[in-house]
Amino acid sequence: MAFLSKIATNNGHGENSSYFDGWKAYDSDPFHPTKNIHGVIQMGLAENQLCFGVIQEWVENNPKASICTPQGSNGFKDISNYQDYHGLPEFRNSVARFMEKVRGNKVKFNPDRIVMSGGATGAHETLAFCLADPGEAFLVPTPYYPGYDRDLRWRTGIQLLPVVCESSNEFMLTREALEDAYEEAQKANIKVKGLILNNPSNPLGTVMDRDTLRDAMSFITEKNIHLICDEIYSGTVFNEPGFISIAEIAEEGAVCKNRDLIHIVYSLSKDLGFPGFRVGIIYSYNDAVVNCARKMSSFGLVSTQTQHLIASMLSDDVFVEKFLDESAKRLAERHSLFFRGLAKVGIESLKGNAGLYCWIDLRRLLKEPTFEAEMELWHLIIGEVKLNVSPGASFHCSEPGWFRACFANMDDETLRIALRRIHKFVIQKTGSDQPTRREQYKRSKLEISLSFRRLDEFTMTPRTLASPHSMTSPLVRART
Amino acid sequence: MAIEIEKPAVGLSKVAVSDTHGEDSPYFAGWKAYDEDPYDELKNPSGVIQMGLAENQVSFDLLEQYLEKHSEATNWGNRTSGFRDNALFQDYHGLQSFRKAMACFMEQIRGGRAKFNADRFVITAGATAANELLTFILADPGDALLIPTPYYPGFDRDLSWRTGVKIVPVHCDSSNNFEITPQALDAAYNEAESHNIKVKGVLITNPSNPLGATIKRSTLEEILEFVTRKNIHLVSDEIYSGSTFSGEEFVSVAEVLESWDYKESDRVHIVYSLSKDLGLPGFRVGTIYSYNDKVVTTARRMSSFTLISSQTQQLLASMLSDKTFTENYIKTNRERLKKRYQMIIDGLRNSGIECLKGNAGLFCWMNLSPLLEEPTKESELTLWKSMLHEVKLNISPGSSCHCSDPGWFRVCFANMSEQTLKVALTRIHDFMDGRKAMKTSPDFSSY
């Protein structure tokens, strides 16, 4: 039998990792509110299902947006025939405007710099093909989305080198960590071609502050390497502090000396909840990269049927505003429900303000501070608590005991069931729902500040806690 | 926007700076000329007529009629959660209903002479992605695929650009109607070997682009025997399978395998797409059908980079599982393409131009070698430029398809109205008349 290639036979697809055990457990015993109430609840999937009602309503009221309805069918011929890799102009325009709104209209995007790709998955791979040769490397802060290992490395042959971030400072990216990682690469004779940032972060659920972004910008400028900023969760920011896009920093002439190094990855899979539609976007400030990526986009264009629908939807300003407001509100409520529910049993999470998940600290439940113990705890959570959460090791976290749990891919009731199961488990495991005195004494600054916040949350109502209307979020500013 | 660059721009990758994407070739001058001066029946009747684009616009009305009667296909099934479920569906297996519908459709195209298993389909955003993906799976950088010439120019990019895999041509020529022979296959294989290049497979397009002809069953069997002997893969790009002028003349490699009881099928993979047969290139609907489990699994994982929009899968699942619609479409499309083909062949013959005997596709393979000053590629390009700038027709020169015989051109006929085709034929007629006049006028230089 004829052999297959090295790429086909290596593990670059990433699916042999033990991380997939959770998925298998879910697939073989999926939770259902009536048919399988004791099944595994899927908390490993970062999907946004909170606003489909809003979207559904728009779709029903706008039959012209579909070229397959009587109202829209006169567009069918031209749209289905259009295969230009520039993409429909109305699609690019509406996506550019949407990205601006998500950033509170603080920056402008040029529709001619928008390149399509097969989801953000395709966007990352395409940028890797454009910017680096096999064997060269990108730096990426840990913990990071496990898919990067496949998306950036599998067929491209490039390497990913971790920039270690730690819980001692809430996993914030430091200049020191960047320099350390770069030096390691030098020592190993690996050429670094770029830095990847994911802002807001998956799995942390936090946004990067202006200083950190500026630091990163000055770092890449100094090293003369590319900066890829994955802003796929930019529209899921639900609390202060607001979102600062790299696009803002790119306009600060004092910090950004060479915009040719800056590239943004975006997608509609998280903000709008449309992963099935495969709408990936590369936005580059570099003409050569735009040209090259556009040619490569032939391998992963967005269906024009979908381009047309998205163009119609996103150019409806009233709808977009309503959607962004409603989405932030519901995410905030959902996050609060989960965050407080965990806190009630003494489980702390990183205080996040974005994304579709919580970064949970289960270190005190580990037998010992090792990844083996983390794996054991994880199997316990899957097998007994029947929750598929994602272990920190799969995100290349440097410290064992952290887990990501998604909360936006289910309804309120399912989340409550998940919380009840967690509650039961913690009480069983620790004999109490509060950390012991000894553990309290050992707690880090992070945990202490979190426990104070926990107290505050108990005394505040959900409405006042997490309403974007009460704060100067970019979403509020977008209205004026 | 002005960018202050204080440091030298950091480089891009080798892949990015190479020209394997193919867009710098002189071939694209034709596209440019068309873009700058496009023909329009009313607004620009003397503009360039686009005959370099293999698109199928003859059967659009059938699709429109279907949509008028079946707009429920677009209401995402059950109204309350249909849209949501569809928008969330990102499983790289693809909608089962879509895969089943594709299997059905492909079986119908082959007159039921081959069966397809819905679980062996891998979805990709177009055949462009399917061909690249298969190349990544079947060959390592530096390895080669053998491809019979002339071939679709896009292969140079699709198969080589990011994969680093080479294409080694299997030379076919007009002496035997460009049929693929075992000798030509062996010669190409040996050529590769002599350069220490490992051949990993053969890729055929059947029906052929640019020839517009199906591959004979006996030839398919010879190709299968060849790949078996060399223990390499066979990719059969059957993107034009639904565009044959009659149902019986097309033999798919799937039929041959079935008659062989699927012996050696592990090495065979079929690429298909709806861009040509259904005229839906914008929807990016490609599939890989492999008889090899490992290839299916791996291709499926790789398809994450290039899935088909679930919205589009949903629409096509409904459309292609409607057997009344598909039967009528396939039959009517074939009739119309055949009629269009006849029209162009007759028109060209009246101008004294012969074409290869075709029976499929959206184009004909026209022989202008008698018009060449010398039988060279340069002469061919000179003639091509005349066709472009004087006759105002953008046709594709054989050299862009790596044809070893100069003077052949691919002329598309299904991407325009009948009226426009008539205008094009008139222009060719006038051009040929002009040439004849030049030839018969006294040539004083010979005295």
Side-chain angles (χ1 to χ4, degrees):
Chain A
M1 210 289 294
F3 291 121
L4 303 186
S5 66
K6 295 190 180 78
I7 287 176
T9 47
N10 70 22
N11 276 323
H13 51 75
E15 292 188 22
N16 288 337
S17 91
S18 50
Y19 168 58
F20 280 85
D21 290 347
W23 290 78
K24 290 181 199 149
Y26 170 76
D27 281 338
S28 52
D29 182 22
F31 170 84
H32 187 276
T34 47
K35 298 184 211 158
N36 189 17
I37 196 146
H38 297 293
V40 176
I41 296 178
Q42 176 62 287
M43 301 192 88
L45 188 54
E47 262 179 14
N48 185 354
Q49 295 188 24
L50 303 187
C51 279
F52 270 110
V54 180
I55 293 172
Q56 183 89 31
E57 196 191 328
W58 187 90
V59 168
E60 282 168 22
N61 293 334
N62 291 274
K64 254 186 116 183
S66 162
I67 50 176
C68 307
T69 53
Q71 297 87 340
S73 64
N74 60 342
F76 183 84
K77 180 168 186 241
D78 290 336
I79 302 263
S80 61
N81 205 49
Y82 185 91
Q83 57 179 325
D84 185 336
Y85 59 26
H86 286 80
L88 292 170
E90 58 267 31
F91 170 75
R92 281 182 287 117
N93 287 336
S94 65
V95 168
R97 298 292 87 81
F98 182 70
M99 287 172 70
E100 287 169 0
K101 286 185 187 132
V102 163
R103 288 155 185 72
N105 288 317
K106 284 182 276 173
V107 289
K108 283 230 138 300
F109 288 108
N110 176 354
D112 292 335
R113 292 192 167 284
I114 286 189
V115 176
M116 298 180 286
S117 59
T121 301
H124 279 294
E125 192 197 42
T126 294
L127 277 174
F129 270 123
C130 286
L131 305 177
D133 291 323
E136 295 180 338
F138 287 146
L139 303 181
V140 51
T142 67
Y144 65 82
Y145 162 58
Y148 283 163
D149 289 330
R150 171 199 60 187
D151 300 351
L152 294 158
R153 299 183 322 168
W154 190 17
R155 304 192 301 181
T156 61
I158 70 143
Q159 305 189 53
L160 284 182
L161 302 176
V163 179
V164 179
C165 301
E166 293 168 334
S167 62
S168 54
N169 72 335
E170 299 183 356
F171 296 97
M172 278 169 52
L173 178 65
T174 63
R175 184 64 181 253
E176 205 189 316
L178 284 167
E179 298 284 358
D180 281 349
Y182 191 85
E183 227 183 275
E184 287 274 325
Q186 304 275 73
K187 278 198 218 135
N189 248 325
I190 298 172
K191 187 144 178 236
V192 174
K193 271 323 230 343
L195 167 66
I196 300 186
L197 297 181
N198 184 202
N199 179 32
S201 161
N202 172 15
L204 302 176
T206 52
V207 296
M208 295 177 81
D209 61 42
R210 195 174 293 273
D211 285 339
T212 308
L213 286 167
R214 282 177 176 159
D215 257 348
M217 183 70 83
S218 87
F219 171 78
I220 58 116
T221 308
E222 187 195 296
K223 306 288 190 235
N224 202 25
I225 60 177
H226 291 280
L227 179 60
I228 299 173
C229 218
D230 182 352
E231 301 192 341
I232 195 177
Y233 291 100
S234 47
T236 65
V237 177
F238 52 80
N239 263 344
E240 278 295 287
F243 175 62
I244 302 173
S245 166
I246 199 70
E248 278 185 61
I249 313 296
E251 288 181 7
E252 291 179 12
V255 183
C256 180
K257 305 286 192 200
N258 184 2
R259 284 211 281 187
D260 264 0
L261 298 174
I262 316 297
H263 324 280
I264 298 176
V265 166
Y266 187 55
S267 155
L268 300 183
S269 299
K270 308 295 177 183
D271 292 350
L272 285 180
F274 293 165
F277 291 174
R278 312 317 300 146
V279 183
I281 302 289
I282 294 171
Y283 187 92
S284 176
Y285 292 87
N286 181 319
D287 290 346
V289 173
V290 168
N291 284 329
C292 183
R294 191 172 276 143
K295 293 180 170 101
M296 283 189 188
S297 69
S298 299
F299 298 111
L301 295 171
V302 176
S303 167
T304 47
Q305 178 192 16
T306 301
Q307 288 186 47
H308 180 82
L309 172 71
I310 297 300
S312 302
M313 198 184 276
L314 298 186
S315 52
D316 183 339
D317 289 338
V318 171
F319 164 77
V320 168
E321 208 177 293
K322 176 176 171 198
F323 174 84
L324 289 175
D325 276 353
E326 193 59 33
S327 177
K329 181 160 152 267
R330 293 184 193 186
L331 281 170
E333 281 167 0
R334 186 56 76 81
H335 173 266
S336 169
L337 173 65
F338 192 48
F339 190 83
R340 295 182 320 141
L342 290 174
K344 268 195 202 146
V345 289
I347 291 182
E348 282 143 11
S349 334
L350 196 64
K351 182 87 165 90
N353 66 325
L356 312 172
Y357 33 75
C358 274
W359 186 235
I360 302 174
D361 182 359
L362 295 183
R363 286 177 293 177
R364 70 183 177 89
L365 297 183
L366 293 184
K367 274 203 190 129
E368 21 167 72
T370 64
F371 286 108
E372 287 71 29
E374 177 183 282
M375 205 35 92
E376 219 184 285
L377 174 60
W378 179 52
H379 279 118
L380 208 59
I381 296 174
I382 296 174
E384 284 184 26
V385 194
K386 306 281 217 90
L387 300 178
N388 180 29
V389 297
S390 313
S394 62
F395 296 89
H396 301 276
C397 186
S398 56
E399 303 163 41
W402 292 85
F403 289 76
R404 188 194 76 170
C406 300
F407 55 67
N409 60 316
M410 61 189 76
D411 57 32
D412 276 350
E413 189 46 40
T414 308
L415 188 59
R416 290 200 172 93
I417 293 174
L419 282 168
R420 282 201 285 272
R421 290 185 188 179
I422 293 172
H423 194 161
K424 209 168 124 194
F425 173 71
V426 172
I427 290 178
Q428 274 172 5
K429 193 126 192 339
T430 61
S432 99
D433 58 355
Q434 295 299 320
T436 63
R437 221 175 232 306
R438 188 164 63 93
E439 287 173 44
Q440 260 175 336
Y441 183 75
K442 273 182 170 171
R443 270 188 301 164
S444 70
K445 241 180 19 191
L446 163 70
E447 294 169 277
I448 292 169
S449 73
L450 281 176
S451 68
F452 276 116
R453 256 179 263 188
R454 212 169 76 219
L455 190 60
D456 290 340
E457 282 149 28
F458 278 130
T459 61
M460 286 167 89
T461 65
R463 195 160 268 283
T464 55
L465 174 65
S467 164
H469 302 276
S470 64
M471 295 168 248
T472 51
S473 79
L475 303 167
V476 171
R477 266 181 284 192
R479 239 191 270 198
T480 57
Chain B
M1 70 190 111
I3 299 173
E4 266 179 38
I5 301 178
E6 293 184 356
K7 289 222 156 87
V10 67
L12 303 189
S13 64
K14 295 193 180 78
V15 162
V17 302
S18 82
D19 58 6
T20 319
H21 52 72
E23 291 190 23
D24 296 334
S25 88
Y27 169 60
F28 279 86
W31 289 79
K32 256 187 87 195
Y34 169 75
D35 282 338
E36 286 162 9
D37 181 21
Y39 171 84
D40 182 286
E41 213 176 316
L42 303 163
K43 296 181 226 164
N44 189 16
S46 61
V48 176
I49 297 179
Q50 175 63 285
M51 302 190 91
L53 188 53
E55 265 178 12
N56 184 358
Q57 295 184 21
V58 307
S59 301
F60 241 102
D61 56 312
L62 301 178
L63 294 171
E64 281 165 345
Q65 276 166 34
Y66 172 86
L67 291 172
E68 273 161 35
K69 293 191 212 133
H70 298 86
S71 71
E72 73 264 16
T74 68
N75 286 341
W76 288 285
N78 162 12
R79 293 203 109 210
T80 49
S81 70
F83 177 88
R84 192 188 85 147
D85 292 341
N86 185 242
L88 286 172
F89 186 86
Q90 59 175 324
D91 182 342
Y92 60 27
H93 287 79
L95 284 174
Q96 198 190 40
S97 55
F98 171 70
R99 284 181 284 112
K100 279 192 166 145
M102 283 299 280
C104 232
F105 187 62
M106 285 174 68
E107 284 170 3
Q108 273 184 302
I109 285 177
R110 289 154 185 72
R113 298 182 299 270
K115 283 236 140 298
F116 290 99
N117 173 354
D119 293 332
R120 289 197 166 284
F121 280 101
V122 176
I123 60 173
T124 63
T128 299
N131 281 317
E132 189 198 42
L133 204 151
L134 272 175
T135 305
F136 269 121
I137 290 178
L138 304 179
D140 291 316
D143 289 345
L145 293 178
L146 304 185
I147 308 193
T149 65
Y151 62 78
Y152 162 57
F155 281 158
D156 291 325
R157 171 199 62 189
D158 300 350
L159 306 172
S160 293
W161 189 20
R162 304 190 305 180
T163 61
V165 171
K166 304 189 202 305
I167 295 177
V168 172
V170 178
H171 294 292
C172 304
D173 59 59
S174 52
S175 62
N176 71 336
N177 294 319
F178 297 96
E179 279 173 23
I180 304 163
T181 63
Q183 294 80 3
L185 286 166
D186 272 313
Y189 188 92
N190 295 335
E191 174 72 18
E193 272 215 309
S194 70
H195 289 102
N196 264 322
I197 298 171
K198 249 198 276 181
V199 173
K200 283 311 194 44
V202 174
L203 189 146
I204 57 175
T205 307
N206 179 27
S208 160
N209 173 12
L211 301 177
T214 55
I215 298 181
K216 292 209 293 251
R217 189 187 183 103
S218 54
T219 308
L220 282 177
E221 287 172 345
E222 281 168 352
I223 295 171
L224 273 167
E225 274 154 17
F226 173 80
V227 298
T228 304
R229 200 172 8 111
K230 299 293 188 196
N231 194 23
I232 59 180
H233 294 274
L234 174 63
V235 176
S236 183
D237 185 342
E238 303 192 346
I239 195 177
Y240 292 100
S241 48
S243 301
T244 52
F245 307 152
S246 93
E248 288 73 48
E249 288 183 53
F250 170 61
V251 178
S252 163
V253 72
E255 292 173 53
V256 180
L257 288 176
E258 207 166 292
S259 67
W260 283 11
D261 231 355
Y262 298 106
K263 211 171 35 120
E264 301 299 336
S265 60
D266 250 12
R267 59 180 80 257
V268 181
H269 326 281
I270 298 175
V271 166
Y272 186 56
S273 154
L274 299 181
S275 299
K276 310 296 177 182
D277 293 345
L278 279 186
L280 302 173
F283 285 6
R284 314 316 301 144
V285 182
T287 58
I288 294 170
Y289 186 90
S290 177
Y291 296 90
N292 181 317
D293 291 347
K294 184 93 209 297
V295 171
V296 170
T297 306
T298 308
R300 198 172 269 149
R301 288 174 175 151
M302 252 187 219
S303 66
S304 300
F305 298 110
T306 181
L307 296 169
I308 302 174
S309 168
S310 51
Q311 179 193 16
T312 302
Q313 289 184 53
Q314 178 69 41
L315 168 71
L316 291 165
S318 298
M319 196 189 273
L320 297 183
S321 52
D322 182 335
K323 285 213 167 118
T324 315
F325 165 76
T326 51
E327 254 172 51
N328 179 49
Y329 182 92
I330 292 169
K331 177 165 157 288
T332 311
N333 185 48
R334 283 194 174 129
E335 283 164 6
R336 292 180 183 181
L337 286 174
K338 181 172 186 178
K339 184 171 170 226
R340 204 48 95 81
Y341 171 78
Q342 210 52 57
M343 194 178 146
I344 196 177
I345 292 300
D346 290 344
L348 290 173
R349 191 166 285 141
N350 284 340
S351 307
I353 296 174
E354 289 302 319
C355 299
L356 185 74
K357 176 123 174 47
N359 62 348
L362 313 173
F363 33 72
C364 59
W365 190 233
M366 179 172 77
N367 184 7
L368 291 184
S369 57
L371 298 184
L372 295 184
E373 298 247 356
E374 315 164 325
T376 62
K377 182 177 164 184
E378 289 68 32
S379 269
E380 178 187 283
L381 283 176
T382 306
L383 178 58
W384 172 62
K385 283 191 193 129
S386 295
M387 296 297 287
L388 184 60
H389 298 297
E390 291 170 33
V391 194
K392 304 283 216 75
L393 298 179
N394 181 30
I395 58 179
S396 312
S399 49
S400 66
C401 304
H402 302 276
C403 186
S404 43
D405 286 8
W408 291 82
F409 291 79
R410 188 191 77 168
V411 186
C412 298
F413 56 68
N415 62 314
M416 61 189 74
S417 67
E418 267 191 28
Q419 189 50 38
T420 307
L421 184 55
K422 286 189 178 120
V423 171
L425 287 169
T426 307
R427 289 185 189 180
I428 293 175
H429 198 260
D430 293 343
F431 171 73
M432 291 300 284
D433 270 352
R435 283 224 147 189
K436 265 188 243 150
M438 269 171 61
K439 273 205 166 140
T440 56
S441 69
D443 178 7
F444 293 101
S445 67
S446 65
Y447 281 113

